[in-house]
Amino acid sequence: MSATRYLLILPLMAVVAYVALVGLIYLSQRALLYPGAGATPAPEHASWGEMVHIKTPDGEMLQGLYSQGDSDRPCVLLFFGNGDRLENYAFLAQALTARRIGLLAISYRGYPGSTGSPSEQGLLTDGIAAFDWLSAHGGSEIIVLGRSLGTGVAVNTAAKRPAAGVILVSPYLSVLSVAQTHYPFLPVEVLLKDPFRSDLNIGKVRQPKLFLHGRLDDSIPLSSGQALYRIAPEPKRMLIYDGAGHNDILNDRMVGDVISFVEALKGDRP
């Protein structure tokens, strides 16, 4: 092959490779966004709390773990991150139980123990279903807590239901904006099926809000959480953990800040 012909073919080969990459990412994006979903079996025995099942309006069945607190104390509704599992939150359940505060955590549709397949609309539906179940069964005030991907579920739930407060751990302006940061070479706005636009919902969340973020977070940049905080209405507070990243933010300090926020909502005392 002559050098001239090779130079003519090379750009075409680059275009074909780029299109193939775009197609691959488009087809596999939900596997990338929801790595905790799949055929992994749920544990037979709860590592904390009581195993419960919640029916969604569109016919899915969600598995959850529920640790009931005192009737005069609030309950935290937890929406975890995209690679999480229910049993990972025994540490939080134990800390809340010690303060007589309840906790309900759900496994999203398609995640271990739950039916269906994950999608943005599906997870948002799961969040509302979980809130309504807890409201019917718990009888106490509900504080919504979202972590990472779950912050989008938490924001949507609090915008549509009367949560007493909202805690956002490692939140994002939108999944769209985070994807654009990580994949600047891709037309993410066109490709993304599940943009989770918390930026469009946060204005409806008038409840007291606590934002927690690690300064070293390389999964959801601190700048994304700060951007969401700036457009959130009062009352709000943001705490930045200087030495924490995305996963090691789940520590005793975070648990203490969560409990302080929950108890301060009604001026509770030890």
Side-chain angles (χ1 to χ4, degrees):
M1 182 184 296
S2 67
T4 301
R5 188 175 182 183
Y6 178 78
L7 290 174
L8 292 174
I9 292 176
L10 190 60
L12 179 59
M13 293 173 61
V15 169
V16 170
Y18 178 76
V19 171
L21 175 62
V22 169
L24 178 63
I25 291 179
Y26 178 78
L27 293 174
S28 62
Q29 62 178 280
R30 281 187 169 148
L32 295 171
L33 185 57
Y34 308 111
T40 305
E44 294 182 4
H45 304 287
S47 59
W48 60 270
E50 172 192 1
M51 198 170 291
V52 299
H53 294 88
I54 300 171
K55 186 75 173 290
T56 68
D58 57 347
E60 302 298 348
M61 187 66 72
L62 309 178
Q63 181 172 289
L65 288 180
Y66 180 42
S67 175
Q68 188 169 5
D70 287 4
S71 59
D72 62 340
R73 301 282 276 178
C75 187
V76 174
L77 173 56
L78 170 66
F79 302 122
F80 58 43
N82 65 352
D84 257 337
R85 294 171 66 97
L86 294 175
E87 57 266 30
N88 292 344
Y89 287 87
F91 75 97
L92 180 59
Q94 291 165 1
L96 293 174
T97 297
R99 309 293 292 189
R100 300 178 287 114
I101 300 168
L103 175 66
L104 170 65
I106 63 162
S107 191
Y108 307 123
R109 62 185 61 203
Y111 278 65
S114 299
T115 64
S117 300
S119 67
E120 177 181 3
Q121 187 54 55
L123 267 63
L124 299 186
T125 299
D126 295 346
I128 297 296
F131 188 98
D132 291 345
W133 184 94
L134 185 55
S135 181
H137 287 77
S140 57
E141 289 190 328
I142 300 171
I143 292 87
V144 176
L145 189 161
R147 178 184 178 241
S148 191
L149 180 70
T151 61
V153 182
V155 167
N156 181 76
T157 301
K160 296 181 177 179
R161 290 295 187 269
V166 184
I167 303 169
L168 303 176
V169 182
S170 307
Y172 46 78
L173 192 65
S174 66
V175 165
L176 171 63
S177 65
V178 174
Q180 288 172 328
T181 298
H182 287 295
Y183 304 101
F185 53 89
L186 294 175
V188 173
E189 190 167 1
V190 176
L191 298 175
L192 194 62
K193 297 176 182 179
D194 301 333
F196 282 94
R197 297 293 302 270
S198 290
D199 55 331
L200 301 182
N201 280 324
I202 194 67
K204 304 171 190 174
V205 182
R206 300 288 174 177
Q207 300 96 325
K209 293 168 288 296
L210 176 65
F211 290 69
L212 305 174
H213 217 118
R215 190 176 298 278
L216 306 181
D217 195 325
D218 57 4
S219 295
I220 300 176
L222 172 60
S223 59
S224 188
Q226 289 175 316
L228 186 69
Y229 177 78
R230 283 194 295 270
I231 64 174
E234 296 284 355
K236 60 184 178 180
R237 184 186 182 197
M238 186 168 200
L239 299 178
I240 299 171
Y241 300 163
D242 287 333
H246 191 70
N247 292 319
D248 57 3
I249 194 174
L250 300 177
N251 54 33
D252 291 342
R253 178 185 173 188
M254 188 214 76
V255 172
D257 288 332
V258 165
I259 290 174
S260 295
F261 175 80
V262 171
E263 293 187 330
L265 286 175
K266 293 190 69 173
D268 289 337
R269 294 293 182 264

